[in-house]
Amino acid sequence: MNTTIEQLEDKFLVTLEGELDTAAAVEVEQQLQPLYKTGGRDVIIECAKLEYIASSGLRILISILKGAKAGGSKVVLKNLNEDIQSVFKLTGFISLFDIE
């Protein structure tokens, strides 16, 4: 699992690549934890190369969303593949995030 974070002027750009499974979640959570408090910046999460997400990965994204909303920011998920979209639909999370 590869995770990158770029801090741009008014937002954070996160790129997720690979499988965000239970084994990868601990490391990914440590990397993304600074995004739990976004300081008013929106968070864009690029998911074009995200192949799989487990419930532990969903929990990480929800934590980012809670922190962003508390600071008046939004979280946008971009380029979800069909399988990942299905997971978000089945869990009801599709309505929580802005999806492009």
Side-chain angles (χ1 to χ4, degrees), residues 10-70:
D10 60 344
K11 62 187 160 216
F12 292 100
L13 175 60
V14 177
T15 303
L16 301 176
E17 296 181 31
E19 296 186 3
L20 183 45
D21 56 15
T22 304
V26 173
E27 182 178 339
V28 171
E29 184 171 26
Q30 289 174 348
Q31 293 173 332
L32 298 182
Q33 198 163 24
L35 299 179
Y36 292 178
K37 295 183 181 178
T38 61
R41 292 182 174 97
D42 291 342
V43 179
I44 311 300
I45 303 176
E46 175 56 60
C47 300
K49 295 183 180 178
L50 182 64
E51 300 165 5
Y52 172 82
I53 190 165
S55 59
S56 51
L58 292 171
R59 182 183 50 78
I60 293 167
L61 296 181
I62 288 295
S63 295
I64 293 170
L65 180 66
K66 285 181 182 178
K69 285 192 172 191

Side-chain angles (χ1 to χ4, degrees), residues 78-93:
K78 297 183 79 163
N79 300 312
L80 297 173
N81 69 34
E82 288 183 27
D83 291 338
I84 304 291
Q85 281 187 37
S86 293
V87 170
F88 275 81
K89 287 177 184 173
L90 287 171
T91 59
F93 289 2

